[in-house]
Amino acid sequence: MNAFLEGLATRLMDRWFTALVAPGLLWVAVLVAATRLGQDKPFQLGLLSDWLDRLSQEPALHEPAVVILIAVAALLAGGAIGQIAGALGGVVERCWALPCTLPPAAWLLAARRRRWDRATRRLREAVLHAVELDAQRADTERADAMALRRHRQRDRLGPGRPLRLTRVGDRYARTAERVRRVNGLDDLALVWPRLWTVLPDSLRTEVAAARDRTSDAARLSGWGVLYITISACWWPASLLGVSLLVVSTVRARSTSENLAALIETAIDLHNADLAEQLGLPPAPSAVAAGHAITAQLSGSSNTEDEREAS
């Protein structure tokens, strides 16, 4: 048991250092360099080299106690910045799945839908034009190429009409809709914690790993925002921040797709196991079983709420 706990602590420390402290130290280093370079001469690295040479000649910096204090302060600063990036990543994750019922999220969703509808209309017109030319036995090569181009343009906006503020939110919303339609689970947020307890360890490990990768992608957005703040002192930092935001968006789409697919797989394979654990009678279909699960859990939740209120 001691060996297991020591190994677990080592892995947690490695993850903490890799995910938070090391990127935080890099951010602090960039911030210090930005304050020395400034906006006027952003790439004159000789200024930074001269400053480091002057620091190395300071007698106080050769004292072991001072070096240790600086190292500890740097680690604490890196950890603190890493926590801030994680908090910003959490905000980004919430923004991904916003319901878009209030402005300005509703306005942005309406704009996304207008773009998708316009792309769909252009695709339909291109396909109809190609069909008309084919019926007239005319050359349809250019028309087919245009239809293919319109199809690719529409696909870049998403596989379906937007439901949320972002593509990641769309994927989660479609998962909830599929679970409601195929498995009869009207409230995935209510059922999922109970379903988690009946999943096999291998599947839980995969889902947890996919969830961590999605959080890492969101945290990368947090780092992008932090680097953009440095651009107030050194404008090239904005390029790095924007690059991190782009990479985070691309990575989040792939990780959320994997996470949503694993959640759908877990429900498809083990929804019946949850019904059995809840003591429900066999249902004629998966949809009926899901309705029974949701009804029982909703009833239990309502009973607990009534007891707390009394």
Side-chain angles (χ1 to χ4, degrees):
M1 180 60 70
N2 290 335
F4 171 76
L5 293 177
E6 290 177 1
L8 180 62
T10 301
R11 288 194 297 270
L12 290 176
M13 286 297 295
D14 290 343
R15 178 173 175 79
W16 176 74
F17 185 84
T18 303
L20 298 179
V21 178
L25 290 175
L26 179 60
W27 186 88
V28 171
V30 173
L31 176 62
V32 172
T35 57
R36 304 308 304 179
L37 294 174
Q39 302 282 23
D40 297 333
K41 301 177 180 179
F43 301 111
Q44 194 168 352
L45 300 181
L47 296 175
L48 185 61
S49 178
D50 294 340
W51 177 68
L52 292 175
D53 290 339
R54 290 194 301 271
L55 281 181
S56 64
Q57 296 173 4
E58 291 291 335
L61 295 180
H62 295 278
E63 297 292 334
V66 175
V67 174
I68 292 174
L69 288 176
I70 292 176
V72 171
L75 289 174
L76 291 176
I81 295 300
Q83 293 291 342
I84 294 174
L88 292 174
V91 174
V92 170
E93 282 193 272
R94 290 183 177 275
C95 291
W96 283 343
L98 281 176
C100 300
T101 56
L102 297 175
W107 301 336
L108 295 175
L109 176 60
R112 287 193 68 210
R113 286 178 171 174
R114 284 195 297 270
R115 289 183 61 197
W116 197 88
D117 292 341
R118 184 166 56 250
T120 301
R121 185 170 58 254
R122 290 175 177 175
L123 172 60
R124 186 181 299 112
E125 292 172 354
V127 171
L128 290 176
H129 180 62
V131 171
E132 290 175 359
L133 291 179
D134 184 66
Q136 298 171 4
R137 300 184 181 278
D139 185 9
T140 62
E141 182 177 353
R142 294 184 60 184
D144 291 341
M146 176 59 71
L148 181 60
R149 189 180 306 115
R150 295 299 188 190
H151 189 274
R152 290 173 178 172
Q153 291 174 352
R154 207 275 302 274
D155 282 350
R156 283 197 293 268
L157 300 177
R161 197 166 190 261
L163 301 173
R164 293 290 185 269
L165 188 60
T166 63
R167 291 275 294 274
V168 176
D170 289 344
R171 185 63 181 90
Y172 292 154
R174 288 189 172 87
T175 294
E177 177 60 29
R178 180 191 180 278
V179 167
R180 184 180 301 110
R181 185 181 68 256
V182 176
N183 305 103
L185 300 178
D186 299 325
D187 192 345
L188 180 58
L190 175 66
V191 176
W192 180 253
R194 281 82 171 180
L195 181 67
W196 180 261
T197 61
V198 303
L199 297 181
D201 293 338
S202 58
L203 185 54
R204 281 197 290 185
T205 300
E206 292 185 17
V207 173
R211 180 69 180 84
D212 290 340
R213 287 192 291 270
T214 303
S215 297
D216 291 341
R219 189 184 301 111
L220 197 60
S221 294
W223 286 115
V225 173
L226 289 177
Y227 275 103
I228 289 176
T229 60
I230 299 180
S231 63
C233 303
W234 188 56
W235 67 263
S238 62
L239 302 178
L240 179 58
V242 172
S243 299
L244 289 175
L245 290 176
V246 172
V247 172
S248 170
T249 301
V250 175
R251 187 176 298 177
R253 288 178 181 176
S254 62
T255 57
S256 62
E257 176 69 31
N258 186 34
L259 177 59
L262 285 172
I263 291 174
E264 293 172 1
T265 301
I267 295 173
D268 290 341
L269 297 180
H270 299 282
N271 201 32
D273 296 338
L274 178 59
E276 182 180 353
Q277 291 293 326
L278 292 174
L280 297 174
S285 65
V287 175
H291 287 323
I293 291 172
T294 304
Q296 176 156 328
L297 294 180
S298 300
S300 300
S301 299
N302 294 334
T303 303
E304 292 176 359
D305 293 340
E306 292 174 359
R307 290 176 180 175
E308 292 177 359
S310 61

